[in-house]
């Protein structure tokens, strides 16, 4: 109960339920307000409004259903679980990373999780989190194994002929520089960063169920030219000028070779993208995407559904490419992961399907 001076039309009153010893379930809150009118023998006009609510002070119960969680640094896996009530958000979290879970027709929640290449095993401690409609949050751990992995160190020579071949494509994307090398470094650093942010932002555009079927396909009759998470040091005239990490798998065949969709999905990007040149991104559901870069031709449009093995373009040298090849990436919620796993039917069966 609270009294207000005449003329008060609005007020906010805190209402604590802490000491009422309420039971979980439906509750009713009734608000009665009377004004200062002279009617009803000076008692004023009275209004009443009732609110029917649910009192919920318990966080969701998380039941982990998947049993084997074997993660390798740079790779991925899946966690499946059930919840005992509706939630506003749920998924797997560690550090600053969050991998959303999607409820399937069976009732299970499925979260595809990445173990980023740049996270140490000691820092990879995944936990399932769920927040219910009342804002109650619960986190629970999972049984898992985090396997370490080392990555190749490579040195790449940046030649004047390479600069002369690739830089003209970027003239409209960079400020004016005094030397080709300065322009190249801007592209390799700033434009690369912007392009990575664009790709990561596509993570939200995903189906809530798996669209893929079976193992992911690799570009046929192609040899590997660059591996996932190669740590590259760039040299110019024998001097180190830059360092990057290669976040995909480079595959080379014949010039302008057919590029196929790795699995069923929906095209969510089909355009030029800076260092990637002509680029396609396909959503396979549950936050899993594949990226195809340096193409000479794009054969699909945004929003188009594609099937596993469909020809979607041709390999090329667009973007920051030194020769005709396909740069292929697998991403989980925008985080690049090891494509070799998704090309392996046994791994896919044991860790995802």
């Amino acid at each position: 109960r609270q009294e207000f001076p005449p003329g008060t039309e609005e007020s906010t009153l805190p209402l604590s339920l802490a000491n009422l010893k309420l039971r979980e379930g439906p509750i009713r809150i009734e608000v009665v307000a009377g004004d200062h009118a002279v009617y009803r023998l000076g008692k004023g006009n009275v209004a009443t409004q009732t609110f029917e609510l649910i009192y919920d002070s318990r966080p969701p119960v998380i039941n982990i259903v998947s049993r084997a969680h074997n993660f390798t640094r740079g790779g991925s896996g899946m966690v499946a679980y059930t919840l005992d009530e509706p939630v506003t958000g749920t998924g797997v979290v560690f550090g600053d990373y969050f991998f959303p879970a999607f409820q399937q027709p069976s009732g299970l929640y499925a979260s595809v999780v990445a173990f980023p290449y740049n996270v140490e095993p000691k820092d990879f401690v995944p936990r399932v989190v769920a927040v219910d409609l009342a804002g109650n949050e619960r986190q629970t751990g999972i049984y898992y194994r985090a396997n370490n992995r080392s990555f190749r160190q490579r040195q790449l020579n940046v030649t004047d002929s390479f600069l002369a071949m690739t830089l003209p494509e970027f003239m409209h994307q960079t400020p004016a520089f005094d030397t080709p090398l300065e322009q190249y470094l801007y592209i390799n650093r700033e434009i690369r960063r912007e392009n990575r942010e664009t790709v990561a932002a596509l993570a939200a555009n995903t189906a809530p169920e798996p669209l893929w079927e079976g193992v992911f396909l690799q570009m046929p009759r192609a040899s590997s030219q660059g591996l996932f998470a190669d740590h590259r040091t760039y040299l110019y005239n024998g001097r180190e000028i830059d360092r990057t990490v290669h976040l995909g798998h480079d595959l080379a065949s014949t010039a302008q070779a057919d590029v196929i969709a790795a699995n069923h999905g929906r095209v969510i990007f089909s355009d030029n993208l800076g260092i990637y040149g002509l680029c396609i991104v396909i959503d396979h559901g549950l936050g899993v995407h594949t990226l195809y870069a340096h193409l000479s031709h794009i054969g699909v449009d945004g929003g188009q559904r594609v099937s596993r093995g469909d020809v979607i373009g041709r390999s090329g040298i667009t973007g920051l490419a030194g020769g005709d090849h396909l740069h292929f990436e697998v991403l989980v919620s925008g985080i690049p992961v090891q494509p070799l796993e998704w090309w392996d039917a046994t791994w896919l069966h044991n860790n995802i399907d």
Side-chain angles (χ1 to χ4, degrees):
R1 179 177 181 86
Q2 186 164 338
E3 299 288 339
F4 302 96
T8 302
E9 296 184 356
E10 182 177 324
S11 182
T12 300
L13 304 180
L15 179 62
S16 175
L17 306 181
N19 298 319
L20 299 183
K21 297 182 180 179
L22 295 174
R23 290 180 295 181
E24 301 281 320
I27 63 172
R28 177 184 298 115
I29 295 177
E30 187 177 84
V31 180
V32 181
D35 64 18
H36 293 271
V38 297
Y39 304 108
R40 298 178 63 245
L41 301 177
K43 296 180 180 180
N45 303 297
V46 177
T48 301
Q49 187 165 349
T50 300
F51 301 88
E52 303 288 344
L53 304 172
I54 301 294
Y55 181 65
D56 179 7
S57 63
R58 295 181 298 195
V61 175
I62 303 171
N63 176 36
I64 307 298
V65 175
S66 49
R67 298 178 180 178
H69 307 105
N70 295 298
F71 296 96
T72 299
R73 189 177 183 183
S76 46
M78 179 180 283
V79 180
Y81 55 94
T82 61
L83 301 173
D84 70 335
E85 61 176 310
V87 294
T88 58
T90 185
V92 174
V93 63
F94 62 90
D96 295 329
Y97 295 94
F98 175 72
F99 300 92
F102 302 88
Q103 189 173 25
Q104 302 306 297
S106 65
L108 283 176
Y109 285 84
S111 175
V112 183
V113 180
F115 180 179
Y117 77 91
N118 55 351
V119 171
E120 296 288 340
K122 64 181 179 60
D123 298 322
F124 179 73
V125 185
R127 299 178 65 82
V128 176
V129 61
V131 181
D132 67 17
L133 304 183
N136 302 304
E137 177 180 318
R138 187 189 297 275
Q139 292 192 19
T140 188
I142 64 172
Y143 291 105
Y144 70 97
R145 175 176 297 170
N147 304 304
N148 202 0
R149 179 175 183 147
S150 58
F151 302 101
R152 294 196 311 179
Q153 304 287 331
R154 298 194 69 193
Q155 291 187 339
L156 299 179
N157 290 310
V158 177
T159 64
D160 290 326
S161 60
F162 169 76
L163 296 178
M165 179 184 71
T166 58
L167 296 186
E169 184 176 338
F170 293 89
M171 295 298 292
H172 68 289
Q173 301 180 48
T174 67
F177 290 98
D178 293 335
T179 67
L181 182 59
E182 290 177 315
Q183 182 187 8
Y184 169 77
L185 292 176
Y186 179 87
I187 296 167
N188 206 37
R189 296 169 182 170
E190 296 304 314
I191 293 184
R192 181 184 296 275
R193 177 186 57 78
E194 294 172 3
N195 296 158
R196 290 306 317 177
E197 291 175 353
T198 298
V199 172
L202 295 173
N205 190 350
T206 188
E209 71 282 341
L211 305 179
W212 74 82
E213 291 181 15
V215 69
F216 283 56
L217 299 179
Q218 185 176 339
M219 183 180 181
R221 298 178 298 279
S223 62
S224 296
Q225 301 296 310
L227 304 183
F228 173 77
D230 280 350
H231 286 57
R232 293 177 169 179
T233 300
Y234 297 87
L235 305 177
Y236 181 74
N237 292 333
R239 176 175 60 90
E240 180 181 326
I241 57 170
D242 209 357
R243 293 188 180 191
T244 66
V245 178
H246 185 244
L247 299 178
H249 202 104
D250 287 345
L251 298 162
S253 179
T254 57
Q256 298 191 27
D258 285 345
V259 172
I260 60 172
N263 219 311
H264 307 314
R266 180 174 60 89
V267 177
I268 61 170
F269 185 89
S270 177
D271 204 347
N272 188 74
L273 185 60
I275 65 166
Y276 295 103
L278 295 179
C279 178
I280 297 170
V281 179
I282 298 175
D283 170 46
H284 303 285
L286 300 185
V288 178
H289 297 90
T290 51
L291 178 148
Y292 312 76
H294 305 314
L295 305 178
S296 61
H297 169 73
I298 290 177
V300 290
D301 298 319
Q304 182 175 335
R305 296 297 290 257
V306 294
S307 297
R308 181 173 175 266
D310 283 353
V311 176
I312 58 175
R314 292 194 298 269
S315 66
I317 56 173
T318 57
L320 208 58
D324 188 296
H325 72 283
L326 168 68
H327 173 89
F328 176 80
E329 293 186 19
V330 178
L331 303 109
V332 170
S333 291
I335 306 297
V337 295
Q338 176 63 266
L340 291 175
E341 293 182 339
W342 295 82
W343 289 334
D344 184 335
T346 300
W347 177 88
L348 195 70
H349 173 77
N350 291 335
N351 294 277
I352 304 293
D353 294 337

